[in-house]
Amino acid sequence: MKHLLKLIDLSTEEITEILNLSDQLKYELKNNIPHPRLAGKTLGMIFQKSSTRTRVSFEVGMYQLGGHPLFLSANDLQIGRGEPTADTARVMSRYCDGIMIRTFEQAEVEEFAKYSTIPVTNALTDFAHPCQIFADLLTIREYKGSFEGLKVCFIGDTNNMANSFLVGALKVGMKFTLASPAGYVLHPEIAAFVKDNPNFEQTTDVLAAAKEADVVVTDVWASMGDEAEEQKRQQDFVGYQINNEVMANAKSDAIVLHCLPAHREEEITTEVFEKYANVIFDEAENRLHVQKAILVKLMEK
């Protein structure tokens, strides 16, 4: 694994290796066992989208691994003033040991990796959110013991979260049902990935999607970059909410995941959010552990 750009690029074995290393690093941290596996290395962190969990978890994680995180907003770089992505990649490759990018276009991350001689990690684009899905998979495995026989129900937009979650879930052997309003279709690359896969289903029926689900997931109705459509989406997604009726259709021991931030009383009710808050914030914590594992896999050599 040279870069982490999207989960489609990874094999089941590579995903499992990262999850296992995440477990190890989490155990070591909880037991005060130092693991400075990236001592002396620097991670350049490019943010063209704002963040809470991504920035804090990557900075803290790099510090715990013994390395140095370098925060760079678009305003801090010439890339924000028109320098080609390729030139920025070639320059930063001579200064840093790894790059993390949180931006809009997937093509920008792909181009950065093309011209970079150091590992590039996609910390979020409009197309993919691989780091979050590793945290979600780790949380599911912690609560359920394994992935075998599990069903994931995702209620909401066909966005970067849905794109990445369905790929991750199917690659580790889970079933995945996506409930979205009519007209919200999968990205062509994702549609090609799930074509003829018996473990994937997309429906407009929320209650049918949640039936016998082990994991129920949602995300905000309007992601960053979709603000202009917010009013339309507020209408389109009426009924696409995790609430008590939906959870009554899922298994009695089902868990709820949300990548945060959550808009209570929109995609999830306050009551359901608070009932599953421990799981959701374990999920948020796991961003730290999986990202450390990703960085070690990419940068330790």
Side-chain angles (χ1 to χ4, degrees):
M1 188 171 78
K2 184 178 180 181
H3 305 291
L4 175 59
L5 307 181
K6 54 186 185 294
L7 285 177
I8 287 179
D9 298 336
L10 303 187
S11 66
T12 300
E13 291 72 24
E14 287 173 318
I15 292 172
T16 302
E17 285 177 6
I18 290 173
L19 294 175
N20 292 343
L21 181 54
S22 303
D23 278 335
Q24 178 186 333
L25 295 174
K26 184 173 183 177
Y27 172 84
E28 290 175 1
L29 181 65
K30 299 292 185 182
N31 289 276
N32 298 313
I33 302 172
H35 41 241
R37 297 175 63 160
L38 298 181
K41 294 185 181 292
T42 298
L43 176 70
M45 306 193 311
I46 300 174
F47 282 84
Q48 295 185 318
K49 282 188 176 183
S50 59
S51 167
T52 297
R53 280 151 292 277
T54 299
R55 178 176 177 181
V56 175
S57 56
F58 266 106
E59 283 203 18
V60 171
M62 195 61 184
Y63 171 79
Q64 291 174 354
L65 291 169
H68 177 70
L70 181 63
F71 173 79
L72 300 163
S73 73
N75 293 332
D76 297 320
L77 298 171
Q78 294 297 333
I79 198 171
R81 299 176 60 216
E83 181 176 57
T85 298
D87 292 357
T88 301
R90 287 183 282 199
V91 168
M92 292 191 69
S93 293
R94 296 177 182 233
Y95 297 150
C96 301
D97 301 285
I99 296 293
M100 179 233 84
I101 308 177
R102 182 178 170 93
T103 188
F104 293 89
E105 294 292 332
Q106 178 72 17
E108 184 170 4
V109 175
E110 302 274 353
E111 184 179 10
F112 204 104
K114 177 181 177 181
Y115 288 95
S116 174
T117 58
I118 57 176
V120 175
T121 300
N122 176 2
L124 178 141
T125 63
D126 291 342
F127 173 72
H129 200 353
C131 294
Q132 178 64 52
I133 303 312
F134 272 112
D136 296 339
L137 293 177
L138 184 64
T139 307
I140 293 169
R141 198 169 72 170
E142 287 175 343
Y143 275 85
K144 296 298 182 181
S146 73
F147 301 121
E148 186 176 356
L150 297 184
K151 174 185 174 180
V152 176
C153 165
F154 189 103
I155 300 171
D157 192 11
T158 51
N159 61 5
N160 50 10
M161 274 297 297
N163 289 344
S164 296
F165 213 137
L166 72 84
V167 171
L170 295 175
K171 279 182 177 278
V172 299
M174 293 189 287
K175 296 180 180 179
F176 192 96
T177 301
L178 174 61
S180 302
Y184 287 81
V185 299
L186 291 172
H187 185 282
E189 184 175 352
I190 303 300
F193 174 80
V194 300
K195 186 179 180 181
D196 300 326
N197 190 319
N199 289 326
F200 173 77
E201 179 185 3
Q202 185 173 8
T203 178
T204 58
D205 189 332
V206 173
L207 294 181
K211 187 172 178 59
E212 293 299 299
D214 300 279
V215 184
V216 184
V217 191
T218 191
D219 189 13
V220 296
W221 292 341
S223 301
M224 282 184 285
D226 295 327
E227 290 84 1
E229 303 176 12
E230 188 164 358
Q231 187 173 355
K232 179 180 184 298
R233 286 166 175 264
Q234 290 283 346
Q235 298 172 349
D236 291 348
F237 283 92
V238 170
Y240 287 83
Q241 179 191 72
I242 299 182
N243 52 35
N244 286 332
E245 184 182 13
V246 168
M247 294 311 298
N249 258 30
K251 288 184 179 177
S252 59
D253 63 345
I255 60 173
V256 171
L257 298 179
H258 195 305
C259 63
L260 302 176
H263 294 173
R264 291 163 175 80
E265 304 308 324
E266 290 186 10
E267 74 274 4
I268 188 169
T269 62
T270 301
E271 183 178 1
V272 170
F273 184 93
E274 292 301 332
K275 181 178 180 180
Y276 295 93
N278 286 342
V279 184
I280 292 168
F281 289 105
D282 282 345
E283 172 193 11
E285 178 194 327
N286 280 337
R287 287 288 301 276
L288 172 67
H289 309 300
V290 300
Q291 285 160 190
K292 287 165 67 176
I294 290 165
L295 294 175
V296 168
K297 281 288 184 184
L298 290 175
M299 295 173 62
E300 188 174 38
K301 293 180 182 179

